[in-house]
């Protein structure tokens, strides 16, 4: 029975990851196009608009999207629609507050960001949160009811439409930053109605029942996540603030293009987190043993490492070439930030949030984020005074993010009353890391022979294909099997 459950979790995570892949791919394509059609200054302003939105989104969403994954598994399917409607109303009100905030405080925000050109784009952008906030949380709904295939469909459709309406005015009609933002406003309205339709899918053919879950219970769970979100904003805002303030919008553009997670990593970790939160919530509600929780946890971590570690190693060694390919020679400097942030990807496969939230430890979750926000802002300021380089700020943040991950896992181990080391399949992690470094070493030796074409795109594709072939060919000799990941997916697709 356990095997079936884990296979099912793999399939559900696959569909979430598929939707994330389409989102990430379209985001990369739009960034690659806009960085070529906008001036460096305009592109930096565009990235600042996105940064302001994504930072404040954490606050105004008020932790509500995560409510679905916690409460829906604990109530009957028939009550689910009532819960979804309650949370959607709360998100709509929050979206209205968000767009009002952006419109009237656009000038002060532009002053903080040291970019006077930012105020008008923020006012154009301001209606968007009203329509996009109610679309949040779909992943929790579909993961709870094991229908994540619909999430993949929704993400693909909505992101494709977003790409179409943002990029087309710029490319074909030589539109400016303003036209791109007007396209975003229009598509956010369409996405709003599309999300409302998809939210009802898991409840069709059911007779809906009112729920006794109150707004106060929802807030009791989500409000600590609001404060955690505030500190999360502070953590994310530290580097962009110091880089914008001390180095200007052009360096900020280089930083924002490069200091990103490897897209496939965030795709895998976010999809497993989406699937695991309702699973853990249900297991804790039903009183399952700690061994059952850890078995599920270890299985997920091993599969994540098998997928993520090889990708991280490859992209670290080819970071600058990838930045040039995506954003042109203007952004070759982004490769350094890309390498620095990818070191974090060796550690953030450890997804602590599902355990913390499933156990209802939202207050401690918030307090730990507060501590790290204070540490990060203080240490960033010290680093700027000592080194005065944006790269030093990026290194500082990566270091403290790794520390944060291990501290959260320490507290998780204490709550479950198990050894900290039981969370980690160290032997598997080391094998995958060794294998990845060994194979990339072979590729580097081949490149010294100058037998590959000089075209950058062709070189990267050939290297990556050869890397995967060698990886899959050698892995069985180290006792590493990719069949456990691929087999359930093939069975599901064949059905």
């Amino acid at each position: 029975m356990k095997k079936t459950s884990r296979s099912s979790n793999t399939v559900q995570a696959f569909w979430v990851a598929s939707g994330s892949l389409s989102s990430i791919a379209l985001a990369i394509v739009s960034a690659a196009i806009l960085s070529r059609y906008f001036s460096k200054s305009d592109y930096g302003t565009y990235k600042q608009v996105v940064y302001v939105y994504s930072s404040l989104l954490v606050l105004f969403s008020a932790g509500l999207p995560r409510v679905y994954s916690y409460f829906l598994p604990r109530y009957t399917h028939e009550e689910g629609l009532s819960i979804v409607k309650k949370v959607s109303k709360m998100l709509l009100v929050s979206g209205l507050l968000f767009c009002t905030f952006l419109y009237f405080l656009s000038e002060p925000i532009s002053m903080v960001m040291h970019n006077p050109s930012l105020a008008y784009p923020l006012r154009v952008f301001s209606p968007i949160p009203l329509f996009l906030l109610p679309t949040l949380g779909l992943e929790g709904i579909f993961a709870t009811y094991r229908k994540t295939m619909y999430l993949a469909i929704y993400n693909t459709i909505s992101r494709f439409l977003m790409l179409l309406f943002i990029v087309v005015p710029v490319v074909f009609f030589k539109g400016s930053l303003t036209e791109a933002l007007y396209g975003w406003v229009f598509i956010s309205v369409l996405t709003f109605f599309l999300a409302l339709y998809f939210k009802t899918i898991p409840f069709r053919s059911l007779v809906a029942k009112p729920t006794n879950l109150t707004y106060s219970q929802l807030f009791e769970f989500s409000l600590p996540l609001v404060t955690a979100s505030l500190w999360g904003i502070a953590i994310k805002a530290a580097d962009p603030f110091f880089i914008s303030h001390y180095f200007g919008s052009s360096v900020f553009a280089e930083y924002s293009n490069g200091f990103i997670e490897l897209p496939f990593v965030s795709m895998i970790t976010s999809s497993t987190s989406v699937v695991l939160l309702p699973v853990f919530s249900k297991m804790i509600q039903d009183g399952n043993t700690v061994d059952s929780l850890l078995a599920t946890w270890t299985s997920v971590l091993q599969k994540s490492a098998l997928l993520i570690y090889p990708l991280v190693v490859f992209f670290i060694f080819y970071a600058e070439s990838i930045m040039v390919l995506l954003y042109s020679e203007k952004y070759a400097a982004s490769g350094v930030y890309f390498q620095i942030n990818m070191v974090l990807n060796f550690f953030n496969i450890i997804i602590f949030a599902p355990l913390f939230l499933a156990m209802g430890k939202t207050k401690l979750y918030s307090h730990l984020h507060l501590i790290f926000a204070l540490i990060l802002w203080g240490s960033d300021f010290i680093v700027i005074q000592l080194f005065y380089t944006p790269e030093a700020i990026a290194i500082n943040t990566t270091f403290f993010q790794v520390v944060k991950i291990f501290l959260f896992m320490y507290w998780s181990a204490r709550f479950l009353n198990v050894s900290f080391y039981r969370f980690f399949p160290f032997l598997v992690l080391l094998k995958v890391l060794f294998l990845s470094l060994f194979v990339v070493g072979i590729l580097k030796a081949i490149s010294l022979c100058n037998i590959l074409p000089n075209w950058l795109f062709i070189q990267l594709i050939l290297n990556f294909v050869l890397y995967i072939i060698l990886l899959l060919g050698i892995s069985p000799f180290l006792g590493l099997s990719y069949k456990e990941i691929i087999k359930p997916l093939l069975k599901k697709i064949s059905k």
Side-chain angles (χ1 to χ4, degrees), residues 304-315:
S304 297
L306 281 169
L307 293 171
I308 289 172
Y309 276 24
L311 292 172
V312 172
V313 169
F314 180 87
F315 279 80

Side-chain angles (χ1 to χ4, degrees), residues 211-236:
T211 179
N212 60 2
L213 178 64
T214 64
Y215 284 107
S216 62
Q217 287 175 293
L218 292 172
F219 279 122
E220 186 180 350
F221 176 81
S222 69
L223 281 180
L225 294 180
V226 176
T227 54
S229 299
L230 282 171
W231 313 135
I233 291 170
I235 291 169
K236 289 185 177 180

Side-chain angles (χ1 to χ4, degrees), residues 141-247:
I141 298 171
F142 287 121
T144 298
Y145 299 115
R146 321 298 280 178
K147 294 181 181 290
T148 50
M149 182 178 69
Y150 291 103
L151 179 65
I153 295 169
Y154 167 80
N155 280 338
T156 303
I157 294 172
S158 61
R159 298 309 185 271
F160 175 76
L161 291 173
M162 188 172 291
L163 174 70
L164 192 66
F165 281 89
I166 293 175
V167 170
V168 166
V170 174
V171 175
F172 294 100
F173 302 104
K174 298 183 179 179
S176 64
L177 170 60
T178 304
E179 278 74 29
L181 293 176
Y182 277 128
W184 201 341
V185 172
F186 178 77
I187 194 55
S188 67
V189 178
L190 292 182
T191 303
F192 170 75
F193 289 106
L194 184 66
L196 290 184
Y197 172 78
F198 269 79
K199 278 186 175 182
T200 63
I201 288 175
F203 309 104
R204 287 175 190 168
S205 75
L206 288 175
V207 179
K209 294 180 180 178
T211 179
N212 60 2
L213 178 64
T214 64
Y215 284 107
S216 62
Q217 287 175 293
L218 292 172
F219 279 122
E220 186 180 350
F221 176 81
S222 69
L223 281 180
L225 294 180
V226 176
T227 54
S229 299
L230 282 171
W231 313 135
I233 291 170
I235 291 169
K236 289 185 177 180
D239 287 14
F241 171 78
F242 283 109
I243 289 173
S244 288
H245 186 82
Y246 286 98
F247 302 101

